[in-house]
Amino acid sequence: LTPLPQKDGNGKLGLVEFNILWNRIRNYLSIFRKFDLDKSGSISSYELRLALEAAGYRLNKKLHELLITRYAEPDLALDFDNFVCCLVRLETMF
């Protein structure tokens, strides 16, 4: 993956930066839909592990649990918004 957009630090997304971001979000949506196995609009912690691996992140159990604690709802499911936040955080970490 390429770095997140906003390379010039001006606080605005130009057309090229927006295009990069838009393509990334479309990719996230594709992954999310593929692993939302029950088509509920959210993914379980198990589905999240599969989705993150498909996105290129093989995480140990502890880090996976931390992501669930941070981004999941009390029922341990993540909606698309939280899934995007999770992936953006992982991208900035790695």
Side-chain angles (χ1 to χ4, degrees):
L1 293 171
T2 59
L4 290 172
Q6 192 32 250
K7 296 177 184 174
D8 59 12
N10 69 0
K12 298 179 182 180
L13 286 179
L15 187 56
V16 172
E17 294 165 329
F18 176 78
N19 191 44
I20 292 168
L21 179 61
W22 184 251
N23 287 331
R24 186 156 300 151
I25 290 172
R26 285 181 27 202
N27 182 48
Y28 294 163
L29 182 58
S30 174
I31 293 169
F32 185 85
R33 285 181 174 161
K34 180 178 179 183
F35 292 97
D36 178 12
L37 301 176
D38 60 1
K39 307 300 180 212
S40 65
S42 62
I43 56 177
S44 68
S45 59
Y46 172 73
E47 293 166 333
L48 175 64
R49 180 176 294 280
L50 299 175
L52 292 177
E53 287 180 4
Y57 297 99
R58 290 192 54 105
L59 307 176
N60 65 36
K61 184 179 178 185
K62 184 65 176 170
L63 185 51
H64 180 74
E65 289 172 357
L66 287 171
L67 291 174
I68 293 297
T69 300
R70 169 62 179 91
Y71 294 102
E73 299 298 323
D75 64 356
L76 303 182
L78 282 85
D79 60 14
F80 181 66
D81 291 347
N82 283 324
F83 179 67
V84 169
C85 291
C86 179
L87 279 174
V88 168
R89 176 61 62 155
L90 285 172
E91 285 184 18
T92 58
M93 287 173 51
F94 295 99

